[in-house]
Amino acid sequence: MEREHLFTSESVTEGHPDKVCDQISDAILDAALEKDPSSRVACETLTTRGMTFVAGEISTNCYIDIPDVVRDVLECAGYTNPHYGYHFESSAVITAIQQQSPDISLGVDTGGAGDQGMMFGFACDETEELMPLPIILAHRLVRAMSAARKNQVLPYLRPDGKSQVTVRYRNGRPVCVESVVMAAQHDEDVETAKIKSDLIAHVLSEVIPDSMRADGLRSDPDRYVHVNPTGRFVLGGPQADTGVTGRKIIVDTYGGAAPHGGGCFSGKDPTKVDRSAAYMMRYIAKNIVAAGLARRCTIQVAYVIGERQPVSIMVDTHGTGAVPESRLTELIRKHFDLAPGGIIERLNLRRPIYRQTACYGHFGRNEPDFTWERTDCADLLKKEA
């Protein structure tokens, strides 16, 4: 008996207010790591009309010009027009930074975890990236939307925007795209019909080929492609919606197809297992799937503050495993050092690489600095399993 269901994921552009905050927090982290790789950073950002507020705990041997970092991010994100209500040169930047708590340092200095918590990694064989198809397509749509703005293909677009993709699954496998949502901030004098027509022609058609579309989406895009459904999206960004670091964690990970642990990633140096252990679990899960040991793999790990090794590891192959999950757990313990220091060394995480992760997902990116996306352990795991 065939089983069908729909699954939806979303993504946002680099000009979305929450993503602006993620980029600022990670840009500050990069600025610290560039000069002092041992920097400890936990940085949060809030944006609203005409103002950026940066707070957190930073222990480092270098000086960081935070206002300069903030303004660079805002300019690159597209906030270069005073009419947007949030401008890279004129918006205020307020800072409230202190050093990391010495009580936390007691655990981190000895190589232990900086906090308790659970983290998840996930991989599946739906795409070349070993990621769920809905989130991959959602990221591609907003990337294409931003490219159309930056390259002046659609010069009336403004920085803020979102996408949403619904995929039909049959017996656990994706078969077609059912519907698409694109929310695109725009200049005031542009009609909704033109925006929709342009986004279908220059964004959707570039990302989702006709062969991937359901019959309804292919034959009746007016019904199944939703563009600015209220009919107007002029006010956007921090002018219209306060942004906060860490509020788009499902966009950052697997689009809701897998669990997320207790913390966000952006603004945290790699001694924070919220970030580094989540990267490591993705690395391990991806290698398991790449080795053909499962078509779908979720890994959970949990830490105690000050302890080096996790208190638990859980592997779930969702009924797709080629070997028992207990065997995969044994292989993980044998071949991967899950202490924070071991993770940092394995993935080479003490580098200024994090600002680029803050948009379009931390996973499924085949770029050189995304070391957790390598599949260099797949052959070893396959041989031993």
Side-chain angles (χ1 to χ4, degrees):
M1 180 179 177
E2 288 191 345
R3 297 177 57 198
E4 292 193 355
H5 71 274
L6 300 177
F7 192 84
T8 302
S9 296
E10 72 162 356
S11 186
V12 298
T13 66
E14 61 212 68
H16 185 281
D18 293 327
K19 273 292 149 212
V20 169
C21 293
D22 287 344
Q23 291 170 87
I24 290 171
S25 294
D26 273 338
I28 292 169
L29 169 62
D30 281 355
L33 292 176
E34 186 174 11
K35 297 178 180 178
D36 179 8
S38 63
S39 295
R40 305 258 179 90
V41 179
C43 182
E44 314 287 343
T45 305
L46 180 146
T47 61
T48 187
R49 182 180 184 127
M51 181 182 297
T52 302
F53 191 94
V54 180
E57 298 77 47
I58 300 178
S59 297
T60 185
N61 294 323
C62 66
Y63 171 74
I64 307 166
D65 189 337
I66 291 179
D68 188 57
V69 172
V70 170
R71 298 191 192 287
D72 179 62
V73 171
L74 300 188
E75 183 179 16
C76 291
Y79 288 99
T80 57
N81 188 326
H83 294 295
Y84 296 169
Y86 187 62
H87 188 258
F88 79 101
E89 287 184 319
S90 60
S91 291
V93 178
I94 302 170
T95 62
I97 301 295
Q98 57 186 342
Q99 289 192 334
Q100 183 183 67
S101 164
D103 295 343
I104 296 175
S105 297
L106 288 173
V108 179
D109 290 344
T110 58
D115 200 355
Q116 69 176 50
M118 70 287 188
M119 301 84 208
F120 290 90
F122 179 76
C124 62
D125 63 355
E126 295 179 16
T127 62
E128 291 182 2
E129 298 87 353
L130 302 186
M131 286 283 287
L133 180 61
I135 188 64
I136 287 293
L137 294 179
H139 286 324
R140 289 176 184 172
L141 284 173
V142 286
R143 271 185 178 271
M145 195 184 303
S146 290
R149 171 179 61 84
K150 293 177 179 180
N151 297 332
Q152 295 292 295
V153 175
L154 303 178
Y156 57 79
L157 292 182
R158 294 183 178 184
D160 199 355
K162 302 175 76 172
S163 69
Q164 185 171 287
V165 177
T166 299
V167 172
R168 178 172 296 278
Y169 284 75
R170 183 173 298 128
N171 296 329
R173 309 295 291 175
V175 292
C176 61
V177 177
E178 286 283 322
S179 65
V180 172
V181 181
M182 291 181 284
Q185 188 188 11
H186 58 87
D187 290 346
E188 192 164 4
D189 58 352
V190 186
E191 296 293 331
T192 301
K194 175 176 174 52
I195 298 170
K196 184 169 187 175
S197 175
D198 285 348
L199 288 180
I200 289 174
H202 298 286
V203 175
L204 187 140
S205 294
E206 295 294 320
V207 172
I208 304 176
D210 200 63
S211 60
M212 290 181 64
R213 304 179 201 180
D215 290 342
L217 180 60
R218 189 184 304 116
S219 62
D220 191 5
D222 282 340
R223 180 178 177 186
Y224 293 97
V225 179
H226 309 274
V227 174
N228 294 350
T230 67
R232 182 178 171 88
F233 188 7
V234 175
L235 294 180
Q239 180 183 23
D241 183 15
T242 299
V244 180
T245 297
R247 207 157 56 177
K248 286 290 177 286
I249 57 175
I250 301 304
V251 171
D252 288 340
T253 54
Y254 307 102
H260 186 98
C264 74
F265 303 151
S266 290
K268 297 178 180 178
D269 75 81
T271 67
K272 278 73 172 176
V273 285
D274 276 342
R275 181 170 220 158
S276 55
Y279 287 2
M280 190 66 167
M281 294 309 106
R282 162 63 179 172
Y283 174 61
I284 298 172
K286 186 174 183 181
N287 275 273
I288 288 173
V289 173
L293 302 180
R295 289 194 295 105
R296 192 176 182 91
C297 182
T298 300
I299 304 176
Q300 187 209 51
V301 68
Y303 288 85
V304 175
I305 188 169
E307 297 291 330
R308 289 174 179 260
Q309 294 296 328
V311 294
S312 71
I313 303 171
M314 183 277 297
V315 179
D316 183 1
T317 57
H318 308 275
T320 70
V323 297
E325 290 156 348
S326 59
R327 178 58 179 153
L328 294 176
T329 303
E330 291 173 1
L331 292 174
I332 292 171
R333 291 187 181 277
K334 178 180 179 181
H335 292 291
F336 300 95
D337 182 0
L338 300 184
I343 294 172
I344 290 170
E345 182 178 357
R346 180 87 175 231
L347 301 180
N348 193 14
L349 296 179
R350 289 195 185 277
R351 298 174 294 143
I353 60 172
Y354 297 103
R355 178 174 171 178
Q356 62 189 319
T357 70
C359 290
Y360 312 121
H362 293 245
F363 307 128
R365 307 266 297 272
N366 295 322
E367 300 165 34
D369 289 331
F370 289 66
T371 52
W372 50 93
E373 291 297 314
R374 300 178 306 197
T375 55
D376 52 348
C377 292
D379 289 342
L380 173 64
L381 293 174
K382 184 175 183 178
K383 180 180 178 180
E384 291 223 6

